[in-house]
Amino acid sequence: MLGFPSNQFLQELSTEDAIEEYCSTTWGVSFPMFEKAKLNGGKAHPLYQELTKTPYDGGGKAGKIKWNFEKYVITPDGVVHRFLPTTEPDDPAIVSVIEGALPA
């Protein structure tokens, strides 16, 4: 699990350190948090330029990120699964993708 904060939705704190501390103390986040990144538009981080080419699992369209908390699962075979921001991290669809990618 990796966290990529972005202020494109005007809700992030001012610094990466403040974001990391808030996520850690408020939500118990212990996974790596990276620097703030642009998610949409011409200056989008290269990672998100690629990720947004993937349509949402369950029949959605590819394209720009709708809101913070969008989730991606990249399986060992390189397949990208994209989930709406409203999808909870423990949603059966996400768990199924993760469990399906684990070695037997």
Side-chain angles (χ1 to χ4, degrees), residues 8-71:
Q8 284 195 289
F9 304 105
L10 305 175
Q11 66 183 45
E12 288 296 354
L13 299 171
S14 60
T15 68
E16 282 85 12
D17 289 339
I19 294 166
E20 187 172 3
E21 181 178 340
Y22 172 79
C23 290
S24 170
T25 58
T26 305
W27 303 109
V29 166
S30 60
F31 49 80
M33 296 292 290
F34 290 80
E35 66 185 27
K36 286 192 279 188
K38 297 279 186 198
L39 307 180
N40 294 316
K43 293 185 179 183
H45 188 283
L47 173 63
Y48 284 93
Q49 290 177 16
E50 288 300 313
L51 290 175
T52 56
K53 293 177 183 176
T54 302
Y56 291 99
D57 278 32
K61 295 181 181 179
K64 71 180 194 171
I65 292 175
K66 297 173 188 247
W67 193 251
N68 280 351
F69 304 110
E70 191 157 304
K71 294 143 197 87

